[in-house]
Amino acid sequence: MKQQVTVYDIAEEAQVSVATVSRVLNGSAPVSRTTRAKIEAIMHKHQFQPNAVARSLTKKETGIIGVILPDITNPFFPEVFSGIEQEGLASGHTFFLCNTLGDYGKESHFLNLMREKRVDGILFMGGRVNLRVCDPALARELAEHARSIPLVLLNGDVKDAGLTRVATDEASGTTLAVRHLIGLGHTRIGFLGGARHMSTTAVKVRAFRRTMKEAGLAVRDAWTIPGGFSADAGREQMNRLLSLRDLPTAVCCVNDFTAIGAIKTAAEQGLNVPADMSVVGFDDILLARHVIPELTTVSQQAGELGRTAVRVLRELMGGAAARKLTPLEPRLIVRQSTAAPGGQGD
Amino acid sequence: MKQQVTVYDIAEEAQVSVATVSRVLNGSAPVSRTTRAKIEAIMHKHQFQPNAVARSLTKKETGIIGVILPDITNPFFPEVFSGIEQEGLASGHTFFLCNTLGDYGKESHFLNLMREKRVDGILFMGGRVNLRVCDPALARELAEHARSIPLVLLNGDVKDAGLTRVATDEASGTTLAVRHLIGLGHTRIGFLGGARHMSTTAVKVRAFRRTMKEAGLAVRDAWTIPGGFSADAGREQMNRLLSLRDLPTAVCCVNDFTAIGAIKTAAEQGLNVPADMSVVGFDDILLARHVIPELTTVSQQAGELGRTAVRVLRELMGGAAARKLTPLEPRLIVRQSTAAPGGQGD
DNA sequence: ATGAAAGCGCTAACAC
DNA sequence: GTGTTAGCGCTTTCAT
């Protein structure tokens, strides 16, 4: 680990002051053609890399955006992150990524860590912010952080915290899915996956019920089965559903992972999807169009969500007061996992 | 954005010197019970967060590990990252994540960025390090970086750069897959996906050919179809394969994404996998056991790869000379996408 | 156009 | 056990 060269070394060798070196480094003030050339040559010769830590200390900005999300292993999040990175790179930002794995303790820990590290802004998704009834203490903590660091919430909400948010309209997305099923002729529809205490699930379930009722259809509690967001959870939920004596002809799933698990189990039990059971997912993960059958789903436009969030965060970091809520419209993507009940028509 | 409080503020209010404050902050020297208590109370009262940037500047360490990978959107990488984070968190490290999207220019850019940011170490995967014939200039650049910052390469190699590596034995993994197919009775086997100029593909193809020859089987060039690593690539490759008049009864795919795409196309063309065509993947991504049919594949133990890499990097950062190559043994995971040719047996 | 010097917030000798 | 002080490497007035 050889010693790094500093502005002083450059200054000395070029016989100028560090201020001048700093000036050519930042173009912050005019420097004569000749000295500039000399300094640049020396920098290049030593492969000089200015120390960003020192720079951050004086400028009071790090160029780092902290990203907190539940689980990068769930395909939806990498797509969001990808959008974030794409947009953030354009403004020279860099990313500090943390997975909370749904652990609230970790959320607090990372939030503090980010303050210590003096990130310029925070993008926060999942976990606590998705609690339907958010512990006031936690809400306060988040609001507190937001007061000292620009923070935007992605797809979540915290009552009364007054946070800036960017969110897909999950209710309207769910409505899209349910109407599609109803349009196909289904009248017996269930809802799989999620966790009742998370607002994201609550929003979807509520929209599901409302849409069913508007169409004059009955909502059966036994067909609304929570239990998580993973593919394994989807398998188990479908298993429970299939153990009932009376079955729906279609199900909405809380996300694509769950839908894929549900389809898997349905197939194992001898059902044909979509002929015997239509399944619709949510998210439109990359693999959704490659599974068999291809998944009908609601696109959250994950990449766009990430890009938009960065744009909003940038306004905040710039000192502007961004709109409190920037909504994103989801889109229904019809593929092969849904069809008319009983396999009639297509 | 209210003003952050500093050690000076704390010191003043507690009527002690900053050194003492620093001492209780780090436990770096004894402090009397009473003053410690007083200081701690004041810190707590102001919710004091020491400025990590300032600390990094003096200590000459940031606690940040830079992670450079091709594409977080490819499910293999989130799993590796997950392992990295899990292991790194234990030692208080934090992560700076960059996606290169296979762009060599970006690789260089990020490498420089990480030096500027003074990360404590770098974990590097993909892209340039997977060039079969690596441009000497690029290799030199990497070696150069490795000289000033601890760096470990994950699943790749750069000729003569003398880099520290942690890598799955992709050759032995491929051999496992091919032998499995041969054991099932296949004699006509193809290889799908990858890019000829990447060492990871070259290693797999070479192992594929060797294993076939050892078993006395012919390798047909027309059945070795490169073209990328995505699911779409897999679809296209299978399409090309199926356009041939003479077909293999099984294919090895460069990764699970490709395998899933290949299966998809095979199914669309009316083939039954595995009855008409066996398909084996590589990586064992999370979804591999949830697709239909469940994917037979070679597990790279992505999480373990990440964890191991961090352990090795930690040795390097600690000044120790780590083993040049830490190999990881892949495992064959037999599921449903492979069977005896012609659907006989199972 | 260029230099001198004062910080940024913290740690670590070194003294007492 | 505690205080003084000199950095860490850079940016930024303020002079010149």
Side-chain angles (χ1 to χ4, degrees):
Chain A
M1 313 301 136
K2 63 178 185 206
Q3 186 57 37
Q4 299 277 2
V5 356
T6 75
V7 282
Y8 284 94
D9 302 323
I10 304 291
E12 187 178 341
E13 188 164 340
Q15 316 228 62
V16 298
S17 74
V18 291
T20 305
V21 175
S22 174
R23 285 178 189 118
V24 342
L25 218 43
N26 303 284
S28 49
V31 172
S32 83
R33 269 191 124 354
T34 58
T35 41
R36 145 167 286 119
K38 177 160 39 158
I39 291 174
E40 276 170 346
I42 297 177
M43 282 179 170
H44 186 231
K45 167 179 154 203
H46 292 306
Q47 302 225 74
F48 173 63
Q49 298 277 30
N51 183 329
V53 176
R55 172 179 293 169
S56 296
L57 185 58
T58 33
K59 308 251 295 204
K60 290 169 172 306
E61 70 178 55
T62 55
I64 300 177
I65 291 178
V67 179
I68 299 182
L69 47 77
D71 184 6
I72 193 74
T73 257
N74 181 325
F76 173 66
F77 297 108
E79 287 173 48
V80 177
F81 183 81
S82 205
I84 290 175
E85 188 180 40
Q86 187 186 326
E87 181 70 35
L89 241 35
S91 46
H93 288 279
T94 236
F95 307 92
F96 170 13
L97 179 63
C98 296
N99 288 35
T100 60
L101 303 176
D103 176 339
Y104 304 150
K106 273 193 177 161
E107 288 187 10
S108 291
H109 174 70
F110 288 137
L111 241 17
N112 285 322
L113 212 54
M114 290 189 171
R115 279 187 50 175
E116 285 195 18
K117 300 251 177 206
R118 299 302 192 260
V119 298
D120 290 345
I122 297 179
L123 259 21
F124 196 115
M125 341 189 39
R128 146 185 338 179
V129 306
N130 279 335
L131 278 186
R132 191 151 60 114
V133 178
C134 187
D135 177 338
L138 301 184
R140 209 177 321 120
E141 185 189 349
L142 212 78
E144 182 67 31
H145 277 282
R147 201 114 41 79
S148 55
I149 306 179
L151 182 152
V152 357
L153 227 54
L154 280 71
N155 273 11
D157 194 10
V158 178
K159 281 268 175 302
D160 308 320
L163 301 172
T164 301
R165 312 189 286 133
V166 174
T168 319
D169 187 339
E170 296 179 289
S172 100
T174 304
T175 298
L176 249 32
V178 178
R179 291 227 176 104
H180 164 64
L181 256 14
I182 293 174
L184 247 23
H186 292 274
T187 57
R188 307 159 59 79
I189 308 176
F191 189 96
L192 259 39
R196 289 196 201 286
H197 61 286
M198 316 227 86
S199 71
T200 171
T201 301
V203 165
K204 286 178 182 167
V205 171
R206 203 176 309 131
F208 166 69
R209 303 185 104 97
R210 188 181 347 99
T211 311
M212 289 292 280
K213 280 183 185 143
E214 281 171 10
L217 299 176
V219 172
R220 305 242 205 139
D221 287 339
W223 292 348
T224 301
I225 305 179
F229 301 86
S230 67
D232 275 320
R235 290 173 89 137
E236 197 199 310
Q237 290 147 21
M238 180 56 88
N239 250 321
R240 279 212 272 154
L241 185 70
L242 296 184
S243 72
L244 267 31
R245 52 201 169 352
D246 197 23
L247 298 180
T249 57
V251 289
C252 280
C253 295
V254 78
N255 68 15
D256 288 348
F257 244 26
T258 304
I260 288 172
I263 289 177
K264 180 74 186 157
T265 289
E268 282 171 2
Q269 307 271 335
L271 292 188
N272 181 313
V273 173
D276 303 321
M277 172 83 72
S278 283
V279 176
V280 25
F282 207 108
D283 285 354
D284 193 27
I285 62 177
L286 244 28
L287 235 30
R289 39 186 273 268
H290 297 294
V291 294
I292 301 174
E294 293 170 26
L295 206 56
T296 290
T297 187
V298 176
S299 167
Q300 290 219 46
Q301 307 187 70
E304 190 52 33
L305 179 66
R307 282 188 292 273
T308 305
V310 171
R311 276 185 225 115
V312 172
L313 183 61
R314 216 148 42 198
E315 288 177 28
L316 246 41
M317 296 189 302
R323 197 174 353 179
K324 275 307 171 197
L325 172 63
T326 304
L328 245 50
E329 275 312 310
R331 285 205 284 258
L332 178 71
I333 312 281
V334 178
R335 286 196 276 243
Q336 306 169 335
S337 65
T338 50
Q344 326 135 13
D346 190 31
Chain B
M1 315 298 135
K2 63 178 186 208
Q3 186 57 38
Q4 299 277 359
V5 357
T6 75
V7 283
Y8 284 94
D9 302 323
I10 303 292
E12 187 178 341
E13 188 165 341
Q15 317 227 62
V16 296
S17 74
V18 290
T20 304
V21 175
S22 174
R23 283 176 192 121
V24 341
L25 218 43
N26 302 285
S28 50
V31 174
S32 83
R33 268 191 124 356
T34 58
T35 41
R36 142 166 288 118
K38 178 162 34 161
I39 292 174
E40 276 169 347
I42 297 176
M43 282 178 169
H44 187 231
K45 167 179 154 202
H46 292 306
Q47 301 224 75
F48 173 63
Q49 297 277 33
N51 183 328
V53 176
R55 173 180 291 169
S56 295
L57 185 58
T58 32
K59 306 253 293 207
K60 290 169 171 305
E61 70 178 53
T62 55
I64 299 176
I65 291 178
V67 179
I68 299 182
L69 46 77
D71 184 7
I72 193 72
T73 258
N74 181 326
F76 174 65
F77 297 109
E79 289 173 48
V80 177
F81 183 80
S82 206
I84 289 174
E85 188 180 41
Q86 186 185 325
E87 181 71 34
L89 242 34
S91 46
H93 289 278
T94 237
F95 307 90
F96 170 14
L97 180 62
C98 297
N99 287 35
T100 60
L101 302 177
D103 176 340
Y104 304 150
K106 273 193 177 162
E107 289 187 9
S108 291
H109 174 70
F110 288 137
L111 240 17
N112 285 322
L113 212 54
M114 290 188 171
R115 279 187 51 174
E116 284 194 19
K117 300 250 176 206
R118 298 304 193 260
V119 299
D120 290 344
I122 297 177
L123 259 20
F124 195 115
M125 345 191 32
R128 146 189 334 182
V129 306
N130 279 336
L131 279 185
R132 191 150 60 113
V133 179
C134 186
D135 177 339
L138 301 184
R140 210 178 320 119
E141 184 189 350
L142 242 160
E144 182 66 31
H145 278 282
R147 201 115 40 80
S148 55
I149 306 180
L151 183 152
V152 356
L153 227 56
L154 279 71
N155 273 12
D157 194 8
V158 179
K159 281 269 174 302
D160 309 320
L163 300 172
T164 301
R165 309 191 287 133
V166 174
T168 319
D169 187 338
E170 297 179 289
S172 100
T174 304
T175 298
L176 247 33
V178 178
R179 290 228 177 105
H180 163 65
L181 256 16
I182 294 174
L184 246 23
H186 292 274
T187 57
R188 307 159 61 80
I189 308 177
F191 188 97
L192 258 41
R196 288 195 201 287
H197 60 287
M198 315 228 88
S199 70
T200 171
T201 301
V203 165
K204 286 177 182 168
V205 171
R206 203 177 307 130
F208 166 70
R209 304 186 104 97
R210 190 182 346 100
T211 310
M212 290 292 279
K213 280 183 185 142
E214 279 172 10
L217 300 176
V219 172
R220 306 239 206 142
D221 286 340
W223 293 349
T224 299
I225 305 180
F229 300 86
S230 68
D232 275 321
R235 289 173 90 137
E236 196 198 311
Q237 290 147 21
M238 179 57 86
N239 248 322
R240 279 211 273 154
L241 185 70
L242 296 184
S243 71
L244 266 31
R245 52 199 171 349
D246 195 24
L247 297 180
T249 58
V251 289
C252 281
C253 295
V254 78
N255 68 16
D256 288 348
F257 245 25
T258 304
I260 287 172
I263 289 177
K264 179 76 186 156
T265 290
E268 282 171 2
Q269 307 271 336
L271 292 188
N272 180 313
V273 174
D276 302 321
M277 171 82 72
S278 284
V279 176
V280 23
F282 207 108
D283 285 354
D284 193 27
I285 64 177
L286 244 29
L287 234 31
R289 38 185 274 269
H290 298 293
V291 294
I292 300 175
E294 293 170 25
L295 205 56
T296 290
T297 186
V298 175
S299 166
Q300 289 219 49
Q301 307 187 67
E304 189 53 33
L305 178 66
R307 283 188 292 273
T308 305
V310 171
R311 277 186 224 114
V312 172
L313 183 61
R314 214 146 44 195
E315 288 178 30
L316 247 41
M317 296 190 302
R323 199 173 352 178
K324 274 307 170 199
L325 172 62
T326 304
L328 245 49
E329 274 312 310
R331 285 205 283 259
L332 178 72
I333 313 281
V334 178
R335 286 195 276 243
Q336 305 169 335
S337 64
T338 50
Q344 327 133 15
D346 192 32

